[in-house]
Amino acid sequence: GAVVSQHPSRVICKSGTSVKIECRSLDFQATTMFWYRQFPKQSLMLMATSNEGSKATYEQGVEKDKFLINHASLTLSTLTVTSAHPEDSSFYICSARDQTLDPTWEGYTFGSGTRLTVV
Amino acid sequence: AQKITQTQPGMFVQEKEAVTLDCTYDTSDPSYGLFWYKQPSSGEMIFLIYQGSYDQQNATEGRYSLNFQKARKSANLVISASQLGDSAMYFCAMRGGLYGQNFVFGPGTRLSVLP
């Protein structure tokens, strides 16, 4: 089945530094990937939609200058948290779809997530 | 706008018994997809079951079944013969439009299976 690899699984960084999270589709091409954020004991909230070769679409309230998304190839999207602060500490998870599969329900695969802690 | 409601923040069930996790939804789309995902403590999202809005029959996948009541806008998950490994967070989610891409998730229900 479709596999999405997300790296790193955990990262601790100092306040003010930047952190890059990678999301790779391993055995399929994904023109679109999605980035979600999950605060402790809360649900997943869509942050942005990453489109290969074009600018990402951000959800309302998400700072595009803070959360930089690059989708330079059909198998890789990256999320960079710039000038991270403790309030950015969260679980970030990506999702991608294998477009060769049934579009109604199949092929949407989530990465294993990245737990970011900013100290 | 789409919205998913899960009114049970936490549920307990005895091992080998069945449990129902509630989910109600709201959408103006005539067609949509409903999903249940399991999130263990490790964080990954595990797909469990899918129900399309036009599907006549309730979806089943092994020990999981979805009790779909369209008129009531509910899509409850039934887990039969609970196992200790079923202890996790469970999220109900919707994708708007039959071919919509991003998910809207409910707040989740934490299921604890007791030995």
Side-chain angles (χ1 to χ4, degrees), chain B residues 22-41:
Chain B
D22 294 341
C23 172
T24 58
Y25 61 91
D26 191 22
T27 181
S28 56
D29 286 318
S31 60
Y32 46 88
L34 295 160
F35 299 76
W36 277 92
Y37 281 87
K38 173 184 177 181
Q39 187 181 43
S41 57

Side-chain angles (χ1 to χ4, degrees), chain A residues 32 34 36 38 41-46 49 91 93 95 97 99 102-106 108 110-113 115, chain B residues 33 35 37 39 41-45 47 50 61 89 91 95 98-108:
Chain A
T32 304
F34 304 90
Y36 295 84
Q38 184 180 28
K41 298 187 179 181
Q42 294 188 26
S43 189
L44 282 74
M45 298 295 291
L46 180 67
T49 302
F91 189 68
I93 191 165
S95 172
R97 184 168 84 82
Q99 292 169 300
D102 186 326
T104 56
W105 70 278
E106 288 187 282
Y108 281 86
F110 286 84
S112 53
R115 195 166 301 280
Chain B
F35 299 76
Y37 281 87
Q39 187 181 43
S41 57
S42 53
E44 73 266 34
M45 297 293 283
F47 166 75
Y50 164 84
E61 284 288 344
M89 280 293 290
F91 291 98
R95 249 190 19 241
L98 211 53
Y99 303 102
Q101 298 207 79
N102 63 281
F103 290 88
V104 173
F105 288 89

Side-chain angles (χ1 to χ4, degrees), chain B residues 51-76:
Chain B
Q51 180 83 42
S53 57
Y54 290 127
D55 293 343
Q56 296 295 317
Q57 292 187 322
N58 287 340
T60 60
E61 284 288 344
R63 294 187 298 113
Y64 304 107
S65 60
L66 199 152
N67 184 356
F68 181 47
Q69 297 188 46
K70 193 171 183 177
R72 293 186 176 185
K73 293 190 174 179
S74 74
N76 299 338

